[in-house]
């Protein structure tokens, strides 16, 4: 069997065990409990239709439970989106390592983060990691014990935001809608922002198309490299 086929077979075998959930937020002050200020699902499955409104903060077919909590975050601080295979998993059970792909983080300013579903315009990307020298963004998160490191821009306005962390698994992305997208939204209140720069925003759904080269790709037979670098889906990262 060819190496590419071996990789594909291994990925298919791990599909059900590879799911993941962004279930905790870590700030410089503390690591908050599971599901605190995050609308977490009871099932760890992906979204696959990028035109679906559940692309914003997850939802059916994954039953989610709302939270009435909001986490205080200072502009400029680095936070951690903590990923786990299930809500009961530990740091050694983040996501099947055969699931390779990019990781991203977005913010959306809202009036009430506990009630806003995140659907529509207002989103801007603040972090991403794709593929570099044989290493995917998902590899970094798994290697960090499930911690996706995200810096909150110091130039944004104060107020409530949805913080959307996302991991994309590309083991099945050889066909349309084969990429598995995992995302949840933390409910945060940002203070200390300079309000010196306004980001250009995008809509979710709308940031991705099913035929984006970063979502429709065979990472086994045509892996990214110098001649064909991986293109991370979505808009450019907002910088101050």
């Amino acid at each position: 069997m060819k190496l590419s086929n071996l990789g594909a077979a291994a990925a298919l075998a791990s599909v059900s065990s590879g799911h993941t959930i962004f279930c905790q937020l870590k700030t410089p002050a503390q690591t908050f409990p599971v599901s605190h200020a995050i609308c977490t699902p009871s099932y760890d499955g992906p979204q696959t239709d990028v035109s679906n409104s559940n692309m914003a903060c997850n939802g059916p077919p994954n039953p989610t439970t709302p939270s009435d909590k909001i986490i205080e975050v200072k502009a400029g601080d680095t936070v951690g989106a903590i990923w786990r295979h299930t809500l009961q998993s530990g740091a050694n059970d983040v996501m099947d390592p055969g699931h390779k792909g990019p990781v991203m983080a977005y913010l959306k300013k809202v009036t009430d983060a506990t009630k806003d579903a995140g659907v529509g315009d207002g989103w801007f990307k603040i972090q991403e990691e794709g593929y570099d020298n044989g290493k995917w963004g998902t590899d970094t998160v798994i290697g960090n014990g499930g911690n996706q490191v995200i810096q909150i821009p110091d130039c944004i306005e104060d107020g409530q935001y949805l913080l959307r962390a996302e991991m994309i698994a590309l083991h099945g992305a050889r066909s349309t809608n084969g990429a598995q997208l995992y995302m949840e939204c933390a409910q945060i209140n940002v203070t200390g922002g300079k309000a010196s720069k306004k980001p250009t925003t995008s809509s979710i759904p709308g940031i991705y198309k099913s035929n984006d080269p970063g979502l429709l790709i065979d990472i086994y037979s045509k892996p990214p490299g110098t001649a064909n670098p991986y293109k991370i889906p979505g808009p450019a990262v907002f910088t101050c």
Side-chain angles (χ1 to χ4, degrees):
M1 184 180 286
K2 292 181 179 179
L3 182 60
S4 60
N5 290 336
L6 280 169
L12 288 171
S14 65
V15 165
S16 63
S17 65
H19 298 164
T20 191
I21 302 171
F22 162 37
C23 61
Q24 289 177 272
L25 190 68
K26 177 182 179 180
T27 71
Q30 69 180 101
T31 299
F32 289 85
V34 169
S35 300
H36 184 96
I38 304 174
C39 185
T40 52
S42 56
Y43 176 65
D44 56 359
Q47 298 292 333
T48 57
D49 180 359
V50 297
S51 66
N52 193 303
S53 62
N54 295 321
M55 275 289 300
C57 294
N58 207 349
N62 309 313
T64 55
T65 301
S67 172
D68 61 358
K69 303 294 191 296
I70 292 179
I71 294 173
E72 297 292 325
V73 176
K74 293 179 181 177
D77 273 357
T78 296
V79 301
I82 306 300
W83 292 85
R84 297 287 185 260
H85 177 198
T86 71
L87 297 180
Q88 295 76 39
S89 298
N92 62 344
D93 188 16
V94 177
M95 182 171 72
D96 190 290
H99 284 33
K100 308 290 188 182
V103 301
M104 292 88 90
Y106 295 81
L107 284 175
K108 178 177 181 175
K109 196 172 191 301
V110 295
T111 302
D112 185 347
T114 66
K115 293 183 172 60
D116 199 304
V119 178
D121 194 15
W123 291 101
F124 56 102
K125 186 188 286 184
I126 60 170
Q127 182 266 341
E128 66 180 14
E129 182 179 355
Y131 180 87
D132 182 47
N133 197 28
K135 185 178 184 181
W136 288 96
T138 52
D139 296 327
T140 298
V141 174
I142 292 170
N144 285 345
N147 183 21
Q148 178 184 355
V149 179
I150 303 164
Q151 184 173 23
I152 306 300
D154 64 3
C155 60
I156 60 175
E157 297 177 329
D158 288 351
Q160 293 189 22
Y161 287 80
L162 294 174
L163 170 61
R164 178 182 183 272
E166 179 175 37
M167 295 215 284
I168 301 179
L170 300 173
H171 55 281
R174 296 177 300 279
S175 58
T176 302
N177 292 338
Q180 295 185 354
L181 296 91
Y182 300 89
M183 77 297 294
E184 275 78 35
C185 296
Q187 300 154 191
I188 66 173
N189 183 57
V190 174
T191 59
K194 298 176 182 176
S196 58
K197 188 174 181 181
K198 270 193 170 293
T200 300
T201 62
S202 302
S203 177
I204 300 178
I207 53 171
Y208 308 141
K209 293 185 174 65
S210 59
N211 62 350
D212 283 346
L215 294 176
L216 186 59
I217 180 174
D218 187 341
I219 63 172
Y220 301 110
S221 66
K222 297 178 181 178
T226 304
N228 59 324
Y230 178 74
K231 182 172 176 55
I232 300 173
V237 173
F238 168 71
T239 58
C240 293

